[in-house]
Amino acid sequence: MSAAPLRIGLAGLGTVGIGVVKIVQDHADLIARRTGRAVVITAVSARDRTKTRDADLSGYAWETDPVALAQREDVDVFVEVMGGHEGPAKLATEAAIAAGKDVVSANKALLAHHGQALALAAESAGRVIRFEAAVAGGIPVIKALTEGLAGNQIKRVMGVMNGSCNYILTRMQNDGMTYQQVFDAAQALGYLEADPNLDVGGIDAGHKLALLASIAFGTKVSFDAVELEGIGKISIDDIHLAADMGYRIKLLGVAQMTGRGLEQRMTPCLVPADSPLGQLQGGTNMVVLEGDSVGQIVLRGPGAGTGPTASAVMADVLDIARGARMPTFGQPAATLADPIAAVSTTPASYYLRMTLLDKPGALAKIATCLGEAGVSIDQMRQYGHEGTLAPVLIVTHKATRADIDHAMSRFDATGVMAAAPVAIRIEEV
């Protein structure tokens, strides 16, 4: 090997950062053989230098300020695994680009909010930003879109991209536990972010979807246009009734370009129980990519964790070590189009759950509201009476969400509703 070592400055020594350290230390010879040069860590940064960590850091220079780390002369690649879309992570990434460093990031929030500006700065400076670890952990979905499917017109990107939400929903399914019971268990096990709403509110997964949509459709990242709905309103009744109809409930991200504009949704959906998405269990992630030439491909694997995320970080580092250079979002940032958000979503069937008062003509009144809104009924089931209440499940033919909402806005005036109705989209997979 005649090439000089590639020198890493590592900002963040949490679980992912320590995972990166271990890969560099444990697989040094393997990495050198695969890239033709050594890859070494020269300096690190974290908030607390005194904290005990499961790795030997004694051979590395230490910077308390990640900006200072990004500017060091003995750093070629700035690896940012701190997290947060403002503050030190943003300042240090900007400093690294200004100092002529390449950047590898696991920070989905930073790129979802500031990806366009950072990409323009990096490409103007002749630098690259790689972020495989920011989306779906160990699943190489960025590489699949930018390289393996580069000759395809992408039709749709879809997937389960938050393992914590999938864990909660599958435990509700398998163990018959309520949402709150599983939420509390997940929090006790450390499966949720310090702010749990980042997970269960769909924000974390929405960041990932926005990044994939930018690559897939050649548009500027537009996280603010992602329709977000978390899983907090999903009840054990919804889980059981969906199963009775042959479906599973997933927090599903869908991005597709339509004649109405770019759709980006991260919302609970019903998917067929026998589909790959329907069979997905626990904390595993799955991303489905649809191209005009390749058809549909399914990528499945661990979406988080020390090893999988560090593996994705190092895949980007090794590409840089080999000399691979690519625009941040698969094409020059200056050529990315301004996204036009779809004003309405693609029509779909909907699951409607409602509890009616046991009155003559109650169902007929609900059916009339749906019909007047242009929504037709495909299936309807009425379950056993609960005193004076009658649980009812309706599956509609394809309709827009606006028509569904219009129909439900008229339900209260019927005088037969005992509780607010629930509407969940049924996604074709």
Side-chain angles (χ1 to χ4, degrees), residues 152 167 184 376 408:
N152 283 254
Y167 169 83
D184 292 342
S376 62
M408 292 196 301

Side-chain angles (χ1 to χ4, degrees), residues 225 227 258-264 340-346 400-402:
E227 177 189 346
T258 73
R260 298 176 299 279
L262 177 62
E263 290 184 22
Q264 299 179 95
I340 299 173
V343 294
S344 62
T345 57
T346 302
T400 66
R401 180 67 201 221

Side-chain angles (χ1 to χ4, degrees), residues 43-326:
V44 298
S45 177
R47 283 178 292 184
D48 184 359
R49 186 169 183 173
T50 64
K51 182 179 178 179
T52 300
R53 294 177 171 89
D54 185 26
D56 180 8
L57 306 175
S58 60
Y60 310 141
W62 189 284
E63 295 284 358
T64 303
D65 182 1
V67 173
L69 174 71
Q71 295 170 331
R72 287 179 65 102
E73 292 186 359
D74 60 352
V75 167
D76 302 310
V77 179
F78 177 67
V79 176
E80 189 273 298
V81 292
M82 295 182 293
H85 70 276
E86 301 290 351
K90 180 173 181 285
L91 293 172
T93 300
E94 292 170 337
I97 294 168
K101 320 294 186 185
D102 293 323
V103 174
V104 172
S105 179
N107 192 336
K108 65 191 80 68
L110 175 68
L111 292 163
H113 287 277
H114 305 293
Q116 178 67 13
L118 292 172
L120 286 170
E123 291 165 27
S124 295
R127 299 295 93 197
V128 298
I129 301 174
R130 304 294 294 260
F131 58 97
E132 186 69 71
V135 180
I139 302 174
V141 62
I142 303 295
K143 186 176 286 288
L145 278 172
T146 56
E147 297 180 33
L149 303 182
N152 283 254
Q153 183 76 40
I154 301 301
K155 299 167 64 177
R156 182 169 63 159
V157 175
M158 176 170 56
V160 171
M161 304 177 200
N162 184 279
S164 299
C165 287
N166 203 51
Y167 169 83
I168 290 172
L169 292 171
T170 54
R171 282 213 64 187
M172 290 173 70
Q173 179 80 49
N174 297 335
D175 299 337
M177 299 169 67
T178 66
Y179 170 80
Q180 192 61 51
Q181 287 173 325
V182 185
F183 176 93
D184 292 342
Q187 197 165 38
L189 290 167
Y191 290 174
L192 299 176
E193 297 276 1
D195 176 4
N197 193 53
L198 291 174
D199 287 317
V200 299
I203 298 170
D204 167 87
H207 288 148
K208 300 171 187 176
L209 183 69
L211 296 175
L212 293 181
S214 176
I215 299 169
F217 304 111
T219 56
K220 297 173 185 176
V221 182
S222 54
F223 170 68
D224 290 343
V226 178
E227 177 189 346
L228 292 177
E229 181 184 345
I231 63 172
K233 295 181 180 179
I234 302 299
S235 73
I236 192 65
D237 289 336
D238 294 318
I239 296 288
H240 291 157
L241 293 172
D244 188 46
M245 302 288 288
Y247 294 101
R248 299 284 185 272
I249 299 177
K250 300 292 180 183
L251 180 66
L252 191 67
V254 179
Q256 57 189 350
M257 187 66 74
T258 73
R260 298 176 299 279
L262 177 62
E263 290 184 22
Q264 299 179 95
R265 306 187 303 274
M266 184 60 66
T267 61
C269 290
L270 271 67
V271 298
D274 58 358
S275 68
L277 284 165
Q279 295 175 26
L280 191 67
Q281 297 287 308
T284 307
N285 281 198
M286 180 176 287
V287 182
V288 179
L289 306 174
E290 297 176 356
D292 62 343
S293 297
V294 75
Q296 185 182 91
I297 65 171
V298 178
L299 303 173
R300 177 185 181 277
T306 300
T309 310
S311 169
V313 168
M314 289 306 299
D316 284 341
V317 171
L318 266 62
D319 269 354
I320 292 172
R322 294 182 180 116
R325 318 294 291 177
M326 182 180 295

Side-chain angles (χ1 to χ4, degrees), residues 8 10 12-31 39-41 44 52-58 60 79 81 305-314 317-318:
I8 295 173
L10 177 62
L13 292 171
T15 57
V16 176
I18 293 302
V20 170
V21 170
K22 289 182 175 180
I23 291 176
V24 171
Q25 292 178 348
D26 294 346
H27 299 315
D29 291 342
L30 177 67
I31 290 170
V39 174
V40 298
I41 296 172
V44 298
T52 300
R53 294 177 171 89
D54 185 26
D56 180 8
L57 306 175
S58 60
Y60 310 141
V79 176
V81 292
T306 300
T309 310
S311 169
V313 168
M314 289 306 299
V317 171
L318 266 62

Side-chain angles (χ1 to χ4, degrees), residues 320-395:
I320 292 172
R322 294 182 180 116
R325 318 294 291 177
M326 182 180 295
T328 306
F329 295 104
Q331 67 183 66
T335 69
L336 294 173
D338 290 315
I340 299 173
V343 294
S344 62
T345 57
T346 302
S349 297
Y350 280 83
Y351 157 105
L352 302 179
R353 175 176 60 82
M354 58 199 76
T355 303
L356 306 183
L357 298 174
D358 188 14
K359 293 182 176 180
L363 275 175
K365 291 181 179 180
I366 296 300
T368 297
C369 290
L370 290 167
E372 290 176 348
V375 178
S376 62
I377 296 172
D378 180 33
Q379 302 177 56
M380 180 166 57
R381 295 187 185 182
Q382 182 171 340
Y383 292 82
H385 287 60
E386 299 173 0
T388 59
L389 306 179
V392 173
L393 173 63
I394 291 174
V395 173

